[in-house]
Amino acid sequence: KGFIAELERLQRLANSQEEGAGQKVAQAGHRDPRIMQALMALQGHGLQVEEKDLRRAEELGDMQRREPVQLEQMLLVKDLEDAEVARQQGNEHFKAGRLPEALAHYEKGLELLKMQPEVPASSVATLLSNAALCYLKLKWPDRAKKKATMAIVAIKQAEDQSFDQSKLYYRRSLACEALQEFGMAVDDMSRALQH
């Protein structure tokens, strides 16, 4: 259900004569800070909801998890035209702990590489590997696994023996462990140690 629909439902509930309606509205506001902010605004009171409040609600409340890359990060990369610059800037954001910004840069780099007629598999694999690490740290193991797998496939298809695949298998192993796919996690960890 959408945010606006939920507000409308809560408004109807608040205006109803149902017993405990106020308590139910308050509980909804406690679970999702955006609802609390809207309710306070409707009452003429200001309430500032910060990013940390939203993250806490995603983890503890019943607020649906947002995509790691939001409009703010997309705007950072919209004018980039060089995949290597995107990778370098992504690395700077990663080192500074700004994971959504780093991820946006790696994804933009991949997008730019797709537009080129020929691309070294190592360039694709590096960006995919970096994106996988961001997804791992952001706690999106399913996406980390997918990115690591795509990188492994790109290297295998290119038959690039010079690319160190240990990080790829290690990152996919961590993703599999988080997904409780323990057999694959062990297999990938042993491959990581062989490369």
Side-chain angles (χ1 to χ4, degrees):
K1 60 187 167 185
F3 179 69
I4 301 296
E6 177 67 1
L7 285 179
E8 290 170 349
R9 183 189 74 78
L10 291 171
Q11 184 178 23
R12 285 191 304 276
L13 180 61
N15 292 332
S16 75
Q17 299 300 318
E18 183 179 325
E19 188 174 324
Q23 184 69 25
K24 290 177 184 176
V25 171
Q27 287 173 343
H30 179 71
R31 287 189 305 263
D32 187 340
R34 300 170 305 165
I35 290 174
M36 181 62 78
Q37 183 180 32
L39 293 172
M40 294 298 287
L42 290 172
Q43 296 295 320
H45 304 288
L47 175 68
Q48 187 69 30
V49 175
E50 298 177 1
E51 182 64 24
K52 65 180 178 158
D53 301 318
L54 295 173
R55 275 195 225 112
R56 184 171 184 271
E58 287 174 336
E59 291 175 17
L60 304 176
D62 63 354
M63 182 175 140
Q64 186 174 7
R65 200 159 176 217
R66 297 167 297 149
E67 287 294 318
V69 176
Q70 296 288 311
L71 178 61
E72 178 183 343
Q73 290 84 28
M74 288 185 220
L75 291 174
L76 282 176
V77 300
K78 74 177 179 70
D79 294 328
L80 288 176
E81 296 180 3
D82 184 284
E84 180 59 20
V85 170
R87 184 192 64 79
Q88 290 170 354
Q89 289 180 2
N91 289 350
E92 291 171 19
H93 285 290
F94 185 87
K95 289 173 189 170
R98 296 185 298 270
L99 300 175
E101 288 80 359
L103 181 58
H105 280 80
Y106 299 142
E107 295 287 2
K108 180 66 174 188
L110 288 164
E111 180 184 315
L112 292 167
L113 288 178
K114 287 179 186 175
M115 293 189 279
Q116 296 178 11
E118 286 192 37
V119 177
S122 60
S123 297
V124 173
T126 298
L127 286 168
L128 286 166
S129 178
N130 291 355
L133 183 57
C134 286
Y135 279 124
L136 277 171
K137 290 190 171 283
L138 290 165
K139 296 184 172 55
W140 290 82
D142 54 330
R143 294 183 187 185
K145 179 184 172 186
K146 181 179 178 181
K147 294 294 182 181
T149 300
M150 290 169 68
I152 291 166
V153 168
I155 293 300
K156 282 186 179 177
Q157 285 178 345
E159 298 177 358
D160 185 345
Q161 301 299 320
S162 65
F163 191 88
D164 179 13
Q165 297 178 49
S166 60
K167 282 184 184 179
L168 303 177
Y169 284 109
Y170 177 70
R171 290 173 183 171
R172 189 168 75 174
S173 174
L174 293 176
C176 289
E177 181 183 17
L179 294 167
Q180 298 185 350
E181 297 172 358
F182 300 116
M184 190 170 179
V186 169
D187 289 346
D188 278 349
M189 188 58 73
S190 65
R191 287 186 189 124
L193 295 172
Q194 291 171 4
H195 284 277

